[in-house]
Amino acid sequence: FVSTAESFPACIVISDMTIPGAPMVFVNQEFCRTTGYAKEEATGRNCRFLQGPDTEPEAIQVIRNTLSKGQDCHVKLTNYRKNGEMFQNLLSMKPVFDADGIYRYVIGVQFEIKEDQNLKQRLVQLDKLLRLLPSKLNLRSKASARAKGAMAVNVSGEANQMITNKEKILQQSKQMEVQEQNHNRPKALVAASGEIPMANLNLDNTIFAFTKIIWLNCPTDIMQGIAMDPVSKELFEKFVSVSSVVYRHHFEFVCQFFQIATAPGQQEQVKLIRKFHMKRNKNSVFYCTSTEINYGSLNQMNWGPVFQEMTQKAQASTAMLASEVLPKFLNSKLGFALINKIRQRELSGQQSALKTVACGLDKNAESFWLDMFRTLSETVSIGMVISDMTVPGIPLVYINEGFKVVTGYGKEKIGCSCRFLQGKETESYLNDEIMAALQQSESLLVKLHNYKANGQKFQCLLALHPVFGPNGEYKYQIGLQLDMVMSADITRQLLEMERLIRYMPHSITGENTEDVIRIIPSDTLGDGTLFPFVGVDPSEVRGAAPASTGGGMGGGAFGGGGGFGGSMMGGGGGGFGAPAPMAGMGGAAPAGQGAEVMQQGKEVVTKKGKGKDQYGRAFGKKQKAAMLEFTKTLWLQDATTSLRNLLQLEVAQQAFLGFLKTEYSEAQLEFFLEAQKLEAMDPVSQAKAAPAVYQMFISAGGKGIGQQERTTATQQMWDYVNAAGGNAVDSQTAMLKIREEAETTLKMLAFDAFPRFVKSKHCQNVLSALQQSGNGKQIEGMLNQVDNTAPQDADDWLNIFVSTAESFPACIVISDMTIPGAPMVFVNQEFCRTTGYAKEEATGRNCRFLQGPDTEPEAIQVIRNTLSKGQDCHVKLTNYRKNGEMFQNLLSMKPVFDADGIYRYVIGVQFEIKEDQNLKQRLVQLDKLLRLLPSKLNLRSKASARAKGAMAVNVSGEANQMITNKEKILQQSKQMEVQEQNHNRPKALVAASGEIPMANLNLDNTIFAFTKIIWLNCPTDIMQGIAMDPVSKELFEKFVSVSSVVYRHHFEFVCQFFQIATAPGQQEQVKLIRKFHMKRNKNSVFYCTSTEINYGSLNQMNWGPVFQEMTQKAQASTAMLASEVLPKFLNSKLGFALINKIRQRELSGQQSALKTVACGLDKNAESFWLDMFRTLSETVSIGMVISDMTVPGIPLVYINEGFKVVTGYGKEKIGCSCRFLQGKETESYLNDEIMAALQQSESLLVKLHNYKANGQKFQCLLAL
């Protein structure tokens, strides 16, 4: 035929109806001359490319209607040449069927209408030509064409069910093709590429994508399946363990619940419930339920109500994990790995509650991909159909149940084209867009009027999603439909459509570049902007980090803190009472030094292993600020000699006794004077008198300190000491003990009491008496020397005390309460000998590291209670040496206040209790030593210490409001520091690094993080602000334009709505509404509302109801964007850029509805960071407080309103530690965990019993 048609004087084109899109396979020379297109430009295309703006819609409709029915077509219309020139065309099209009735070709004859005298003649010739064209051939088509024709859309409009047997029909046609020989038919210019068999394709990516969509359509069921499947559970545990401690606890709880729920029989269930609850805070049930458990009577427990509560809480936890965590998990590498593992199990024949989309399907069948699509589509509630682009007429090959819900048409329409949805008011220009997308194998989102099976017109939101074969051939077009009617379900349906568009691959294998980038996870957390949450030993990355302590943020929260942490011998808590950490007085160590000290701690070996304490926990970081270098001083030697000489005078003895009565027991001086008398006696008299002095002063009973609060074991020991009868000693032994004790007593009096005596009126009385006798000059000079060289401040006092304490036969440790964590700044040699730890292993640490599993909780509680009040502490408890060996310790701790009442030091005396014959004697000696220790100094502290002490938590428990003026107080202390000169005080081994002024810091990242949290607490308001702010709008548009066409339309609509809503006056609003609606499908209002617009009578339109509907839809769209898109945007680089831009505008003084956390704050103020925290905390509904770790006692420096809602306590508690939350049933072992986290500057999540302001006990979930 083409051989003849080439020379026809009319334009002849031929389209092959068995090729997808029915392209032209031939055009003759006359066509090329008339249109200006060359053959190669025209063949392979649909004739629609000749249409243009003025092509008549009614003519196009005639073409569609006739050719879809296989009828002749004859129509006049406007077409365009290649150069853009219009011409009038009389188009005739003749359908041609083969001998089997297969619609094979359409012959088109184009006739250019020129109004001249030959028009009639030429039209008559055209008519004759058309009558010669055949309608039916007596020839059959080739087997492959017959197969496609058999499946093609029927011209009658009836469904062609043959499409459902496509694979079988194609297989038969291939067999017949071999038998047929026909060499005279036209050959394709390009040989058809061989189609790769389905069995040879790798569809792992597609299986992952389809399965992910299915799982996200029933997330709660999937979460339950994951919790009950060992392999899935392991991978999900890995995910939550590096993403969130809250999620981790809830997932562990859900797993444990299902383990219980599926246990065989009630007895086994109760056994498991009891087992899990026995673990207390080491088990996630503890964190996710609120059942009150009496651990002392578990055997009498009624576990029925417990299981009921667990059931309710497990449902809530599962729902939370399903909505918040599962989507992230499935976007992660671990999610991809899980679906792959499940698929491998299916292929090996294993059964599982979790299934992939491919489960039960034949992976070798040619219909494998289509079978998976069918499975996927039936999990979707919106309409979902698929058309085969390789079959003439593009028949539907599957229709899901959702399509029937939307349109009323069901699977009976398989084999038809989608034209049955069209009707009288279906927009032809939108049909053209759909046709173009189908022909060009493009995606599309469009809204048009369609008609349901019952004849009802509806607005159909249609999405097209093309799918290509492994060689890039155009295989399928997926259609998604939903009814754009305002309903409670519309947002969910829109999100479902968006999820399908986002996750469905465009290729059969899911392996093309675009699919891999869009669908296959590339990071661990399912969010490329986040980093895994992992536990790292800070010593490995930042040297020795400052330890922090305190009573904990929850039940003692930030409370009594640090110090000896519960005990010089390893008690767990309260530290030196209220005072506790300050952040790093000593600054950072030089490179390597902190890590070197830390390494020494790691080399410690106990029964729990290398570098572990008796609980198996890693040893804490060193407190560098506590590593003090104590200078040896001659002053103490001079003072001791001076006091010894002075006490030769009777007047001085009486005056010193009088002075001691005001502060100490004068018995210590009386003992020394008696010892001096013994030294002056002859040997015989001395031997007679010595045993009596020994019995009176050394062997006599004692009672120790801290009698206001003691454990039973401590009191029993002193009762034993004071029982009748003392050990008899010979005179030689008695004299030796007297001399030792006298020397110690003299040194203690010389360094502490003597300097104060020199400044007292008692000393002035001595001088007056001596001057009257004429013997005062030498003594006065000596006393002046003592006064002038005596300690000038509390730090000097400490320097002198350690010179004495180094040689004490008892274990002496000293903690400085103005250093964070109140660490030990000194331990003597006896401490090292008793515990096995070297000085460098002990100093800088809290004494809690001596604690172990058998350390008595009641002893720890005594330590907490007494030291938090600044009272003496005296308690017997169990501690552990470096080698893991236990020993009994009598711990005495003496709080020391300076002249301003600042809690400066705690002196700890450790006494190892050995049950031998010398125990009584040694305890009496201890009692005498304790009585010599001072409680108050007459010396002030250095200005910096005074400043911190002024802000410290009050030992009375009352709020210290001075903390609110921290910056001012510290500034004043720096000025005073300059004026104070004292070169004899202890020096830090490492020079304190100057704190960088806040004004010199770059806080952009913090401002971004804080602002993001605030914005996510009010997302709808923020979305509105973004839509109304030009800079914000531009960045958000960039984000949605590359992420989702659905989101893009809804954001554009929201922006346009607010433009209308804020227009000045109703007239301007109507003008804008009309303008936007005039754009029809080129405008997002069109996609997001369902108002019926009559474009022929816009001037008569009542725009009031239109605006009302826009308002409702804009609220729904804003809410959807706020919940689904804003969090993703703020996790992107564009979100970071937006907050930075807004911050720059604030700094330049520009006003904006959107604000950062720093808006209105002074960025140069030292309180800038804290001010931002205050702003942030007040946007949070839960309790949120902050404590200053640089101030003794760790006072609360801010309390938000949420804390008052939770606890009943408000801002009046600023300046207190959180110990006020503790009560009778607050768990001490949890307080220990809180203390350890504070000391080690670690995060923590724990649940414990606390008490509200009204006395009500409650379960507090605390995060540090």
Side-chain angles (χ1 to χ4, degrees):
F1 178 78
V2 299
S3 300
T4 306
E6 188 63 72
S7 60
F8 277 9
C11 300
I12 303 294
V13 301
I14 304 172
S15 292
D16 190 331
M17 302 304 288
T18 65
I19 298 177
M24 296 184 292
V25 294
F26 168 77
V27 299
N28 70 352
Q29 288 295 336
E30 184 64 17
F31 175 90
C32 297
R33 188 194 63 75
T34 300
T35 63
Y37 289 98
K39 283 179 180 282
E40 59 271 17
E41 292 177 314
T43 51
R45 299 173 72 182
N46 188 287
C47 232
R48 292 177 68 251
F49 73 90
L50 295 176
Q51 296 176 16
D54 291 328
T55 301
E56 298 78 3
E58 60 274 18
I60 295 171
Q61 194 62 45
V62 168
I63 295 169
R64 284 192 183 131
N65 291 342
T66 53
L67 292 188
S68 66
K69 300 171 184 176
Q71 298 172 348
D72 292 350
C73 176
H74 193 62
V75 66
K76 177 186 173 186
L77 76 167
T78 301
N79 278 156
Y80 290 77
R81 307 187 208 279
K82 183 177 178 179
N83 61 8
E85 179 188 346
M86 289 190 297
F87 69 99
Q88 294 299 305
N89 185 11
L90 182 61
L91 173 65
S92 306
M93 289 190 284
K94 190 84 169 181
V96 180
F97 295 82
D98 70 5
D100 295 302
I102 294 171
Y103 198 169
R104 278 308 313 268
Y105 307 109
V106 167
I107 302 171
V109 182
Q110 297 187 17
F111 178 88
E112 184 177 359
I113 302 172
K114 295 179 180 178
E115 300 290 344
D116 57 22
Q117 59 183 5
N118 295 322
L119 178 60
K120 283 187 179 181
Q121 178 185 345
R122 288 189 295 112
L123 283 171
V124 171
Q125 288 177 315
L126 171 66
D127 182 60
K128 293 188 185 324
L129 173 62
L130 294 174
R131 293 185 187 280
L132 290 171
L133 296 175
S135 295
K136 189 174 175 95
L137 309 178
N138 65 343
L139 301 168
R140 301 187 79 190
S141 296
K142 191 179 177 184
S144 59
R146 291 203 303 274
K148 289 183 178 179
M151 298 182 289
V153 172
N154 287 326
V155 293
S156 64
E158 295 178 0
N160 185 353
Q161 296 295 329
M162 298 289 282
I163 190 68
T164 59
N165 295 315
K166 178 182 177 182
E167 279 68 35
K168 185 177 179 181
I169 292 171
L170 290 180
Q171 186 62 34
Q172 290 173 345
S173 76
K174 289 177 182 178
Q175 295 170 357
M176 295 176 68
E177 195 90 9
V178 176
Q179 304 168 18
E180 297 180 353
Q181 298 297 324
N182 185 353
H183 302 288
N184 297 322
R185 67 184 303 276
K187 304 294 189 295
L189 288 177
V190 181
S193 60
E195 193 164 318
I196 304 173
M198 188 66 67
N200 294 352
L201 297 177
N202 179 357
L203 271 69
D204 286 350
N205 288 0
T206 299
I207 292 171
F208 167 72
F210 280 16
T211 302
K212 177 164 71 171
I213 295 170
I214 292 173
W215 285 14
L216 291 176
N217 287 333
C218 52
T220 305
D221 293 339
I222 298 302
M223 269 313 310
Q224 180 173 335
I226 290 173
M228 297 174 70
D229 178 74
V231 174
S232 310
K233 176 183 171 184
E234 180 184 355
L235 288 169
F236 203 87
E237 276 177 343
K238 283 185 181 179
F239 179 79
V240 292
S241 67
V242 296
S243 59
S244 165
V245 66
V246 176
Y247 294 155
R248 176 171 61 80
H249 280 307
H250 280 269
F251 180 63
E252 289 175 0
F253 164 56
V254 168
C255 294
Q256 290 167 351
F257 169 77
F258 285 120
Q259 187 180 344
I260 293 166
T262 57
Q266 185 175 346
Q267 187 175 355
E268 189 63 24
Q269 288 180 327
V270 167
K271 183 178 176 182
L272 285 173
I273 296 173
R274 191 182 189 280
K275 171 187 171 184
F276 290 138
H277 280 84
M278 278 297 289
K279 294 181 182 179
R280 301 194 185 190
N281 65 309
K282 301 303 179 187
N283 176 64
S284 290
V285 172
F286 182 86
Y287 294 95
C288 305
T289 64
S290 55
T291 304
E292 292 288 349
I293 304 294
N294 185 344
Y295 287 96
S297 57
L298 286 183
N299 291 331
Q300 290 77 47
M301 188 79 184
N302 179 5
W303 294 105
V306 177
F307 182 68
Q308 288 178 354
E309 195 221 2
M310 287 182 69
T311 303
Q312 293 176 332
K313 292 292 174 64
Q315 290 172 349
S317 294
T318 303
M320 180 184 75
L321 292 167
S323 63
E324 298 297 322
V325 189
L326 183 62
K328 298 183 180 77
F329 172 69
L330 292 178
N331 282 337
S332 74
K333 289 181 177 179
L334 291 169
F336 184 77
L338 171 57
I339 291 176
N340 271 349
K341 281 181 180 287
I342 292 173
R343 179 58 184 152
Q344 294 308 310
R345 289 198 306 199
E346 291 171 350
L347 291 174
S348 67
Q350 297 180 53
Q351 298 296 313
S352 169
L354 292 172
K355 301 182 188 303
T356 72
V357 68
C359 184
L361 302 179
D362 182 358
K363 70 184 181 69
N364 296 317
E366 287 303 309
S367 62
F368 181 43
W369 184 92
L370 193 58
D371 292 339
M372 291 194 294
F373 172 84
R374 292 184 179 106
T375 302
L376 163 65
S377 70
E378 293 302 349
T379 68
V380 174
S381 65
I382 64 173
M384 193 171 186
V385 301
I386 187 167
S387 293
D388 193 327
M389 302 305 295
T390 69
V391 175
I394 321 177
L396 297 171
V397 291
Y398 195 73
I399 294 173
N400 78 336
E401 288 300 308
F403 185 81
K404 188 169 186 176
V405 173
V406 174
T407 68
Y409 293 104
K411 291 179 174 58
E412 72 279 358
K413 286 296 183 179
I414 291 175
C416 298
S417 78
C418 258
R419 291 171 61 86
F420 59 82
L421 291 174
Q422 295 180 17
K424 180 181 177 183
E425 294 185 39
T426 298
E427 298 86 347
S428 59
Y429 72 96
L430 295 176
N431 264 346
D432 292 345
E433 293 222 8
I434 295 169
M435 290 293 292
L438 290 171
Q439 289 170 344
Q440 304 302 322
S441 62
E442 294 173 344
S443 299
L444 179 70
L445 183 72
V446 70
K447 189 187 77 172
L448 74 164
H449 282 103
N450 278 159
Y451 289 80
K452 299 188 179 186
N454 62 5
Q456 178 190 348
K457 183 178 69 173
F458 74 103
Q459 294 189 13
C460 176
L461 186 65
L462 168 69
L464 294 181
H465 188 87
V467 179
F468 301 89
N471 293 325
E473 66 274 23
Y474 190 12
K475 296 283 287 184
Y476 299 105
Q477 186 66 266
I478 297 171
L480 306 173
Q481 302 86 7
L482 64 84
D483 187 351
M484 278 293 291
V485 62
M486 192 64 178
S487 69
D489 214 27
I490 187 66
T491 299
R492 184 196 62 77
Q493 291 176 332
L494 284 167
L495 291 173
E496 190 172 30
M497 175 180 278
E498 193 280 329
R499 188 161 59 238
L500 286 162
I501 295 171
R502 178 152 38 107
Y503 291 141
M504 278 193 305
H506 278 297
S507 61
I508 293 286
T509 60
E511 289 182 333
N512 72 26
T513 304
E514 188 269 340
D515 284 340
V516 171
I517 293 172
R518 181 167 55 91
I519 295 168
I520 305 306
S522 59
D523 59 83
T524 306
L525 296 180
D527 183 344
T529 66
L530 300 180
F531 292 98
F533 172 84
V534 291
V536 177
D537 184 348
S539 68
E540 295 175 4
V541 291
R542 62 177 187 230
S548 56
T549 119
M553 243 204 178
F558 290 86
F564 290 153
S567 105
M568 300 262 324
M569 292 309 205
F576 280 160
M582 289 188 349
M585 242 173 93
Q593 181 171 339
E596 185 179 327
V597 173
M598 186 68 189
Q599 189 59 38
Q600 292 171 342
K602 288 183 176 179
E603 289 169 358
V604 175
V605 178
T606 69
K607 292 178 180 178
K608 292 294 184 178
K610 185 176 180 180
K612 302 288 184 67
D613 66 10
Q614 308 307 324
Y615 286 116
R617 296 180 299 216
F619 280 118
K621 297 78 159 178
K622 288 290 181 182
Q623 181 57 269
K624 293 187 297 293
M627 304 291 286
L628 300 183
E629 182 183 86
F630 295 104
T631 58
K632 295 291 181 184
T633 175
L634 293 175
W635 179 86
L636 182 59
Q637 298 173 16
D638 294 341
T640 304
T641 302
S642 299
L643 179 57
R644 192 191 306 275
N645 292 335
L646 185 66
L647 291 177
Q648 301 294 325
L649 303 174
E650 186 176 348
V651 63
Q653 293 175 10
Q654 296 304 317
F656 200 31
L657 277 170
F659 170 75
L660 289 176
K661 284 181 181 180
T662 63
E663 294 192 20
Y664 301 98
S665 167
E666 69 279 9
Q668 303 304 320
L669 180 58
E670 290 173 353
F671 160 67
F672 176 77
L673 295 176
E674 288 297 325
Q676 290 291 84
K677 290 177 182 177
L678 285 175
E679 292 291 353
M681 293 180 183
D682 61 81
V684 175
S685 301
Q686 190 182 76
K688 290 181 180 180
V693 173
Y694 176 84
Q695 289 293 335
M696 180 179 295
F697 291 101
I698 296 180
S699 184
K703 54 186 178 181
I705 60 174
Q707 297 172 62
Q708 71 280 3
E709 188 168 351
R710 281 185 175 176
T711 63
T712 303
T714 307
Q715 187 57 49
Q716 286 174 347
M717 188 179 56
W718 282 109
D719 291 343
Y720 163 74
V721 170
N722 293 315
N727 292 333
V729 294
D730 58 82
S731 59
Q732 186 177 355
T733 302
M735 197 62 209
L736 179 63
K737 293 292 185 182
I738 289 170
R739 284 181 178 135
E740 289 177 358
E741 192 73 24
E743 191 62 25
T744 299
T745 301
L746 182 65
K747 284 184 180 180
M748 291 294 290
L749 292 171
F751 99 87
D752 183 55
F754 187 33
R756 291 201 299 282
F757 167 73
V758 170
K759 295 178 181 293
S760 70
K761 63 180 182 180
H762 297 87
C763 185
Q764 294 301 318
N765 293 338
V766 173
L767 286 173
S768 297
L770 291 175
Q771 286 168 356
Q772 291 174 9
S773 65
N775 297 324
K777 288 197 183 242
Q778 184 178 357
I779 295 296
E780 184 175 7
M782 178 188 70
L783 293 176
N784 285 335
Q785 177 68 18
V786 169
D787 188 22
N788 292 335
T789 58
Q792 298 302 303
D793 61 26
D795 297 295
D796 279 349
W797 175 90
L798 176 64
N799 196 60
I800 294 165
F801 177 74
V802 299
S803 299
T804 306
E806 188 61 74
S807 59
F808 278 6
C811 299
I812 304 291
V813 300
I814 304 171
S815 288
D816 190 330
M817 301 305 293
T818 64
I819 297 177
M824 296 182 294
V825 295
F826 168 78
V827 299
N828 69 351
Q829 289 296 338
E830 185 64 16
F831 172 91
C832 298
R833 187 196 63 74
T834 300
T835 65
Y837 290 99
K839 283 179 179 280
E840 60 272 16
E841 291 175 320
T843 50
R845 298 171 71 180
N846 186 287
C847 232
R848 293 177 72 248
F849 73 90
L850 295 175
Q851 178 180 335
D854 291 328
T855 301
E856 297 78 3
E858 61 273 19
I860 295 169
Q861 194 60 45
V862 167
I863 295 167
R864 285 190 181 134
N865 293 343
T866 53
L867 294 186
S868 65
K869 301 170 185 174
Q871 297 173 347
D872 292 350
C873 178
H874 193 63
V875 68
K876 176 187 175 189
L877 76 168
T878 301
N879 278 151
Y880 291 76
R881 305 188 210 278
K882 180 176 176 178
N883 62 7
E885 179 189 344
M886 287 191 296
F887 67 100
Q888 294 299 306
N889 188 10
L890 181 62
L891 171 66
S892 305
M893 290 191 281
K894 188 87 171 181
V896 179
F897 295 80
D898 69 6
D900 295 304
I902 293 171
Y903 201 165
R904 276 311 310 271
Y905 307 110
V906 166
I907 301 172
V909 182
Q910 299 187 20
F911 179 88
E912 183 178 359
I913 301 171
K914 295 178 180 177
E915 299 291 343
D916 57 23
Q917 60 181 5
N918 296 323
L919 178 60
K920 287 187 179 182
Q921 177 186 335
R922 289 188 296 112
L923 282 169
V924 172
Q925 288 178 308
L926 170 67
D927 183 61
K928 301 203 180 318
L929 172 62
L930 295 176
R931 295 185 184 287
L932 287 170
L933 297 176
S935 294
K936 187 172 178 88
L937 310 178
N938 68 338
L939 301 167
R940 304 188 75 192
S941 295
K942 191 180 176 185
S944 59
R946 293 202 302 275
K948 288 175 178 176
M951 297 181 288
V953 171
N954 288 328
V955 292
S956 64
E958 296 177 0
N960 185 354
Q961 297 295 332
M962 298 289 280
I963 190 65
T964 58
N965 295 315
K966 177 183 175 182
E967 280 67 36
K968 184 177 179 181
I969 292 171
L970 289 180
Q971 187 60 36
Q972 291 173 345
S973 77
K974 288 177 183 176
Q975 296 170 357
M976 296 176 68
E977 195 91 9
V978 175
Q979 303 167 18
E980 296 178 356
Q981 298 297 326
N982 185 350
H983 301 290
N984 295 324
R985 66 184 302 275
K987 306 296 190 295
L989 287 176
V990 182
S993 59
E995 193 167 320
I996 304 172
M998 188 65 68
N1000 295 353
L1001 297 177
N1002 179 356
L1003 275 79
D1004 287 350
N1005 290 356
T1006 299
I1007 291 171
F1008 167 71
F1010 280 18
T1011 302
K1012 179 164 73 170
I1013 296 170
I1014 291 173
W1015 285 14
L1016 291 176
N1017 286 333
C1018 53
T1020 305
D1021 294 339
I1022 297 303
M1023 269 314 308
Q1024 180 173 337
I1026 289 174
M1028 298 174 69
D1029 178 74
V1031 174
S1032 309
K1033 176 184 171 184
E1034 180 184 356
L1035 288 170
F1036 202 87
E1037 276 177 343
K1038 282 185 181 179
F1039 180 78
V1040 292
S1041 67
V1042 296
S1043 60
S1044 166
V1045 65
V1046 175
Y1047 294 155
R1048 176 171 61 81
H1049 279 307
H1050 280 268
F1051 180 63
E1052 289 175 1
F1053 164 56
V1054 167
C1055 293
Q1056 290 166 353
F1057 169 76
F1058 285 119
Q1059 188 179 343
I1060 294 166
T1062 56
Q1066 186 174 342
Q1067 187 174 356
E1068 189 64 27
Q1069 287 180 327
V1070 168
K1071 185 177 176 182
L1072 284 172
I1073 296 173
R1074 191 181 189 282
K1075 170 186 171 184
F1076 290 138
H1077 279 83
M1078 279 295 290
K1079 294 181 180 180
R1080 301 193 184 189
N1081 66 310
K1082 302 301 179 186
N1083 177 64
S1084 289
V1085 172
F1086 182 85
Y1087 293 93
C1088 305
T1089 64
S1090 55
T1091 304
E1092 293 288 346
I1093 303 295
N1094 185 345
Y1095 287 95
S1097 57
L1098 285 182
N1099 291 333
Q1100 289 77 44
M1101 189 79 183
N1102 179 4
W1103 295 104
V1106 177
F1107 182 68
Q1108 287 178 354
E1109 195 220 3
M1110 287 183 70
T1111 303
Q1112 291 177 326
K1113 292 290 175 65
Q1115 289 172 347
S1117 294
T1118 303
M1120 180 181 75
L1121 293 168
S1123 64
E1124 298 297 321
V1125 190
L1126 183 63
K1128 299 182 181 77
F1129 171 69
L1130 291 178
N1131 281 339
S1132 73
K1133 290 181 180 178
L1134 290 169
F1136 184 80
L1138 171 57
I1139 291 176
N1140 271 351
K1141 282 180 180 287
I1142 292 172
R1143 179 58 183 154
Q1144 293 309 309
R1145 288 198 308 201
E1146 291 171 350
L1147 291 174
S1148 65
Q1150 297 179 53
Q1151 297 296 311
S1152 169
L1154 292 172
K1155 301 182 187 303
T1156 72
V1157 67
C1159 183
L1161 303 179
D1162 182 358
K1163 70 184 180 69
N1164 296 318
E1166 287 304 306
S1167 62
F1168 180 44
W1169 186 92
L1170 192 57
D1171 293 338
M1172 290 195 293
F1173 172 85
R1174 292 185 180 108
T1175 302
L1176 163 64
S1177 70
E1178 293 301 351
T1179 69
V1180 174
S1181 64
I1182 63 174
M1184 196 171 186
V1185 302
I1186 188 167
S1187 288
D1188 194 327
M1189 303 301 290
T1190 70
V1191 175
I1194 325 179
L1196 295 170
V1197 292
Y1198 195 71
I1199 295 173
N1200 78 337
E1201 288 301 308
F1203 185 79
K1204 189 169 186 177
V1205 172
V1206 174
T1207 68
Y1209 292 105
K1211 292 179 173 59
E1212 72 279 358
K1213 287 296 184 179
I1214 291 175
C1216 296
S1217 78
C1218 261
R1219 289 174 61 88
F1220 57 83
L1221 291 175
Q1222 291 184 18
K1224 180 181 178 182
E1225 295 185 39
T1226 299
E1227 298 85 348
S1228 61
Y1229 72 97
L1230 295 177
N1231 265 346
D1232 291 349
E1233 293 224 4
I1234 296 168
M1235 293 283 296
L1238 291 170
Q1239 289 169 342
Q1240 305 300 329
S1241 60
E1242 293 174 347
S1243 300
L1244 179 69
L1245 184 72
V1246 70
K1247 189 186 77 174
L1248 73 167
H1249 282 105
N1250 279 160
Y1251 289 80
K1252 300 188 180 186
N1254 62 5
Q1256 178 189 350
K1257 182 177 71 171
F1258 73 105
Q1259 293 189 12
C1260 176
L1261 185 63
L1262 166 71
L1264 294 182

